[in-house]
Amino acid sequence: LQPYPQWPMLTVNYERGIKGVANGNTKYERIESDLSYHRRMSRLRQYSLRLGGGFYTDRSTTFFVDYDNFHDNYLPDGWEDDWTGHFQLLTAQWYNASRYYIKANAAYESPMMALSRLPLVGRYIETERLYAGILQIERIHTPYIEVGYGMTNRFFSAGLFASFVNANFEEIGAKCTVELFKKW
């Protein structure tokens, strides 16, 4: 639901599985909602915000199918980065068994941030991004936090991410994607 293009986009997902119907063997019911907003600013800068949550109202097994809005790409058109609004280092073991989740993600993009100012590297960078995400699930006592930095040009995107669990450093990881046929 997005009444006007400049307003945030709201999605609501309701799903119910009935044991015995169409050879189904799992009884469950879940509800998820997601509010996402993307804003372009002057000088090629933009920011993206996403707030979401979901919970099971009925579940017959401990480990279960993934939450849809938690990891799938239900973002509105115009987001040029598949990493925005997602956790890059979080594995399914953390949230699959959780009965609920609450999350918030933010990203800021600018053509002139840090590495683009360096003389040798700067001429190959088109945009840079800062990422931040916070997640609360039942398996951890304090929120899971993930922060990252990414850069992109017409050939590839690269990012470096760090995660923190229970206020302690957990891991660091990198991600790289090839931008085939984009702006060639």
Side-chain angles (χ1 to χ4, degrees):
L1 173 65
Q2 188 177 22
Y4 297 103
Q6 56 270 55
W7 287 17
M9 176 181 272
L10 173 66
T11 60
V12 177
N13 184 8
Y14 171 79
E15 190 172 316
R16 182 180 180 97
I18 303 170
K19 193 172 185 174
V21 174
N23 294 326
N25 61 359
T26 307
K27 178 183 173 192
Y28 72 94
E29 181 179 59
R30 72 175 173 205
I31 300 170
E32 292 182 87
S33 64
D34 190 66
L35 187 66
S36 55
Y37 183 68
H38 178 75
R39 169 90 172 157
R40 294 186 187 276
M41 300 170 3
S42 64
R43 299 184 187 111
L44 301 175
R45 294 175 300 152
Q46 54 189 345
Y47 66 90
S48 308
L49 305 171
R50 185 174 186 189
L51 177 66
F55 60 93
Y56 284 100
T57 57
D58 188 9
R59 183 169 69 180
S60 62
T61 61
T62 303
F63 289 93
F64 195 64
V65 296
D66 297 339
Y67 286 105
D68 284 335
N69 290 329
F70 187 65
H71 63 87
D72 281 351
N73 193 5
Y74 285 109
L75 298 176
D77 291 337
W79 290 37
E80 298 173 9
D81 181 4
D82 290 337
W83 303 345
T84 300
H86 302 283
F87 295 96
Q88 303 304 315
L89 302 176
L90 187 67
T91 60
Q93 70 178 355
W94 283 102
Y95 63 88
N96 271 354
S98 183
R99 290 180 295 195
Y100 72 90
Y101 75 91
I102 301 168
K103 70 176 193 115
N105 298 83
Y108 174 74
E109 177 180 306
S110 175
M112 297 289 288
M113 232 186 289
L115 288 181
S116 60
R117 295 181 187 273
L118 298 176
L120 296 176
V121 180
R123 66 178 133 192
Y124 300 109
I125 296 175
E126 291 180 7
T127 58
E128 296 175 275
R129 292 184 184 96
L130 296 175
Y131 305 94
I134 188 167
L135 169 71
Q136 181 64 53
I137 56 176
E138 85 180 288
R139 298 288 180 205
I140 54 177
H141 303 299
T142 59
Y144 170 89
I145 297 171
E146 193 171 288
V147 295
Y149 167 83
M151 56 77 59
T152 186
N153 62 26
R154 68 181 62 222
F155 303 110
F156 70 94
S157 294
L160 189 63
F161 301 91
S163 65
F164 302 87
V165 178
N166 291 327
N168 296 317
F169 173 76
E170 179 72 14
E171 66 181 325
I172 192 165
K175 192 168 189 178
C176 185
T177 59
V178 177
E179 303 288 340
L180 291 177
F181 309 112
K182 183 179 180 181
K183 299 180 189 174
W184 279 24

